[in-house]
Amino acid sequence: MENHQTLKRMLKPVHLWALGVGLVISGEYFGWNYGWGVAGTVGFLIATLIVTLMFVTFVFSYTELTTSIPNAGGAFAYAQRALGPYGAVVAGYATLIDFLLATPAIAFALGSYLHFLHPALPVLHCAIFFNIVFMLINAAGVKESANFSILVTVLAIAELLLFMGIIAPHFKSSNFSTNAMPAGWSGVFAALPYAIWFYLAIEGITAVAEEVKEPHKNIPKGYLSALFTLAILALGVMVLTGGITNWQRLANIDYPLPDAIAVVLGKQHSLTKLFAGIGLFGLVASFNGTILASSRQIYALARAGYLPKALSKLNQRYRTPQRSVVAGGVVSFAALITGTTSQVIICSVLGAVVMYIISMVSLFVLRTKEPGLTRPFKAPFYPIFPFVALMLSVVCLAAIVWYNVLISLLFAAGLLFCLLLFYINRNSIQLQNDEADETD
């Protein structure tokens, strides 16, 4: 008899590719350009190449964990197995911050794109509207959400290719190289968080690990194809955009690509308006994906007793964690009302980097602690790949803390609060987990 308290396995590699690219592709549309503001074009290019190396080594290593322990909790589940409950709290908190705050950052950009098209539309109201619509889509079922992701992801990729085709003939190396590293190597260091935004949330594929057919075979295919697609798009968009005008005019806005098209064709040109309109597809793809990933993270933490148990209850008809979707939406609304795009991006990246670090530590511990664990996919060039990913993640964490002290302190305060709550409730959580194990 089918268990109606488990997630449904319906996803194939194409869904994972679409989810992986879709989760991240908004990073090509906005957010990364803030890196120009602190590092210049060449400085940010160096930061992006460093971060690309970090993600290549991380994804190859993280895939070992994902296929060995296919759990919707992702890094939380790996840390719990490798490092115990306190490690799980740190990983779960960091992953929640990663996905929950990526959602309002993208919502800000969606509102800004609509405002670019129709100045009478207020950014915040549009952002809240999109939040509600995509909460409803994700509550309807994972297959519906994944099929929607395929459609909008393909459209978003096509648009980025169109964008590069339009501006490439107008690229001038003199524009790209003018004042290219105004802050020197310290600017490269400061720009690392914005370079991470190019790839942030690709790890969200793990959020649907329990909903993948043949996860041991299909998860690596989804991860690696998504990473390759994103790397090509990120480098192409960044370099070409930096060479069409004075890059400083594009460094601090939430809609750099429509503005870049406007430089080439004029703001009133039909292609400029068309591009800004269909540019919403890239943002929508990521928005849909981050809501999906954050809801599954809340579900996994609640199922394990680290969040209120009610959040792990599945809808009997759709077999989706609708209460978790709503809980994530509440956090997104709060961030929209209180934060700015760049602040929300930094905080989301901070959560991601902490999660990358604890995941790589978990991989090393599990290699020693459980050498007999079935590993359908092993990290290549072990221990070099996970070590490189770990060290570069530590460097990125240091950069974020150094240049964003207040946000880092708020992040740390939230983590300490979660650890304190766990310490107070640890006995009841352990009892719930023991009862769950007996039921299984």
Side-chain angles (χ1 to χ4, degrees), residues 64 67-69 81 216 370-378:
E64 175 178 316
T67 54
S68 302
I69 311 169
R81 188 154 174 172
H216 296 165
E370 297 189 43
L373 177 67
T374 300
R375 294 177 171 86
F377 181 93
K378 289 189 175 183

Side-chain angles (χ1 to χ4, degrees), residues 241-326:
T241 305
I244 61 166
T245 186
N246 178 0
W247 55 265
Q248 291 173 311
R249 66 172 286 181
L250 304 174
N252 292 294
I253 56 176
D254 284 345
Y255 44 90
L257 303 197
D259 223 34
I261 288 279
V263 168
V264 173
L265 301 177
K267 190 169 183 178
Q268 300 306 315
H269 195 284
S270 57
L271 270 179
T272 303
K273 292 181 181 278
L274 175 66
F275 181 86
I278 62 176
L280 295 173
F281 286 120
L283 302 175
V284 162
S286 292
F287 195 59
N288 182 62
T290 55
I291 291 176
L292 175 65
S294 61
S295 67
R296 294 328 189 254
Q297 184 68 22
I298 292 171
Y299 163 78
L301 289 167
R303 183 177 60 181
Y306 290 83
L307 289 175
K309 207 73 176 176
L311 294 175
S312 67
K313 190 171 181 61
L314 298 178
N315 177 278
Q316 292 301 304
R317 179 181 176 185
Y318 298 112
R319 304 260 296 281
T320 54
Q322 292 182 345
R323 295 182 181 184
S324 295
V325 173
V326 172

